[in-house]
Amino acid sequence: MAKRTLAYIIMWFFLLHFAAIAQNQIPMISVSGEAQGTTYHIKYFDKQNRNFKTQTDSILNDFDKSLSLYREDSEISEFNRSHAIRFRSPYFYPVLKKSKEAFEKTNGAFDPTIMPLVEAYGFGPKKTKNAQFQNIDSLLKLVGFGQIEFDSVMVQKAQENVRLDFNGIAQGYSVDLISRFLEQQNIDRYMVEIGGEIVCRGKKNDDKFWVNGIENPLKPGTLYSTVQLSDRAMTTAGNYRNHFEKDGQVFNHLINPKTGSMEQTALLSVTVFAKDAITADAYDTAFFVMGVEETKRFIKKEKDLDVYLIFTGTDGKLNDFASDGIKDFVKKVN
């Protein structure tokens, strides 16, 4: 009996061993392209060696037809021009639901009704250098998620000129959509990246983590840290790229929806880690508005979120902070 048990153990050992070898021999496929005014890169392991670029481009094109502010025929553009619309895609409603959740949890630090302020400052699809700062107080009356009512069928606004801007959350959701598609094809080891928003599942061959970089906010194009990632999403927001100068002052695109201003902050880069990219994308925007200390307090209460902050210290030098759930996976680049 003991010999038979030992034989079973040896047999299962070899089966698991050769299964691991077989898994490591599965080819990794790389797909890349352009979408949403940026680029995407996808890597996945597939026994059938399939290339999903055509399907990826199709999904992202359909997504743009729903939530792109740069398309006049998109659902969101139609809503911004009208009082109410019925959803014609499966994308608008989930983003509204996640937006409401993030708005409520952050006490309004994340708010997609910020579009009138975005346009006033000269950002958005119709960029202009002639920002109308004098209208900020009146525009604040149009901002607030209470201006929006929706269910699973339609969305409507409380008053004219209320407009939505999903740029702080939509790209993360598009990463989730591609991830979901891959899983429907029985792909369980992959990395999907669109414009710096990332989801990783499983690990690479030889049980290695996916490794992603976090840019140095003072030296664009170079890395400040790297992160080992598996079975999590990662998104980064920064206030050092999209900005303009007026009357000797530099204004960044991250606007506080509660005050209507682009307030000065020590934060330069916020990276959020979550179960999906739509969640991470919403909160990286909110944490910029909340600042370093409020974000640290918030993250202690949220078990499903982690954060990596890069900010300017009182000595003028770069400092960083990693929450407990991610700090062991972050490595600074010398």
Side-chain angles (χ1 to χ4, degrees):
M1 186 71 176
K3 289 183 179 179
R4 184 180 297 177
T5 301
L6 178 61
Y8 280 134
I9 293 174
I10 293 173
M11 179 185 70
W12 278 111
F13 171 81
F14 279 106
L15 286 174
L16 292 172
H17 175 70
F18 287 116
I21 292 175
Q23 184 187 55
N24 286 340
Q25 291 176 342
I26 297 174
M28 184 173 75
I29 315 301
S30 296
V31 174
S32 60
E34 297 182 358
Q36 302 171 3
T38 184
T39 59
Y40 70 79
H41 300 86
I42 303 169
K43 296 180 180 180
Y44 54 92
F45 293 89
D46 183 20
K47 294 178 181 178
Q48 301 178 52
N49 203 25
R50 293 168 292 178
N51 186 303
F52 293 121
K53 178 172 172 54
T54 299
Q55 294 92 327
T56 297
D57 289 338
S58 178
I59 293 169
L60 294 177
N61 184 55
D62 285 344
F63 184 78
D64 276 357
K65 291 178 182 178
S66 175
L67 298 181
S68 174
L69 288 170
Y70 294 85
R71 294 185 59 141
E72 291 292 326
D73 61 344
S74 70
E75 280 184 281
I76 191 169
S77 293
E78 179 187 351
F79 174 74
N80 285 344
R81 292 191 302 265
S82 58
H83 174 71
I85 65 166
R86 296 176 66 88
F87 302 127
R88 61 175 189 260
S89 80
Y91 309 128
F92 208 128
Y93 177 57
V95 173
L96 273 173
K97 284 203 302 181
K98 179 60 68 170
S99 295
K100 182 178 181 180
E101 172 194 306
F103 172 82
E104 291 174 347
K105 282 195 171 185
T106 62
N107 193 29
F110 176 81
D111 190 339
T113 64
I114 200 171
M115 188 63 180
L117 293 172
V118 171
E119 291 179 332
Y121 280 110
F123 298 115
K126 300 176 182 179
K127 293 183 178 180
T128 175
K129 295 182 179 179
N130 300 317
Q132 304 298 317
F133 299 157
Q134 66 272 19
N135 296 328
I136 298 304
D137 288 342
S138 61
L139 291 176
L140 273 174
K141 297 176 183 178
L142 301 173
V143 177
F145 209 77
Q147 303 275 359
I148 299 294
E149 294 182 5
F150 67 94
D151 56 25
S152 61
V153 176
M154 66 177 297
V155 56
Q156 60 184 345
K157 59 185 70 171
Q159 58 177 317
E160 190 179 359
N161 294 325
V162 170
R163 297 188 298 284
L164 288 169
D165 179 356
F166 285 144
N167 283 346
I169 190 172
Q171 195 164 82
Y173 185 46
S174 69
V175 177
D176 292 333
L177 292 174
I178 301 301
S179 300
R180 188 182 307 163
F181 166 77
L182 291 176
E183 291 175 3
Q184 290 170 346
Q185 313 310 311
N186 296 316
I187 304 295
D188 58 6
R189 293 193 294 150
Y190 61 81
M191 182 192 75
V192 177
E193 178 267 330
I194 303 177
E197 321 283 54
I198 299 167
V199 169
C200 295
R201 291 285 180 260
K203 293 183 181 179
K204 298 189 291 184
N205 287 338
D206 301 320
D207 202 36
K208 291 183 178 179
F209 284 96
W210 301 95
V211 178
N212 298 285
I214 297 175
E215 191 174 36
N216 187 323
L218 298 185
K219 298 178 181 178
T222 65
L223 294 182
Y224 185 85
S225 299
T226 59
V227 183
Q228 293 180 317
L229 210 61
S230 177
D231 298 327
R232 295 193 87 177
M234 162 184 164
T235 69
T236 299
N239 71 354
Y240 51 92
R241 282 191 176 276
N242 192 3
H243 63 271
F244 68 91
E245 186 172 333
K246 182 180 178 67
D247 299 331
Q249 290 184 289
V250 176
F251 294 90
N252 297 296
H253 74 293
L254 291 162
I255 304 165
N256 186 331
K258 295 187 285 187
T259 65
S261 65
M262 292 184 287
E263 298 165 346
Q264 293 295 316
T265 175
L267 269 175
L268 298 175
S269 173
V270 175
T271 301
V272 176
F273 305 86
K275 61 181 179 180
D276 52 34
I278 189 174
T279 301
D281 205 10
Y283 283 99
D284 68 23
T285 305
F287 291 159
F288 243 107
V289 173
M290 294 162 65
V292 176
E293 297 307 319
E294 189 177 350
T295 295
K296 288 181 180 180
R297 289 191 293 269
F298 183 92
I299 212 72
K300 286 182 179 180
K301 300 180 291 184
E302 296 294 327
K303 295 181 180 180
D304 293 332
L305 294 178
D306 278 295
V307 69
Y308 184 67
L309 311 176
I310 303 175
F311 54 95
T312 305
T314 54
D315 57 0
K317 297 181 180 180
L318 284 185
N319 287 329
D320 59 88
F321 166 82
S323 58
D324 290 342
I326 199 66
K327 64 183 180 182
D328 291 338
F329 300 95
V330 178
K331 181 180 179 180
K332 290 183 67 173
V333 176
N334 295 327

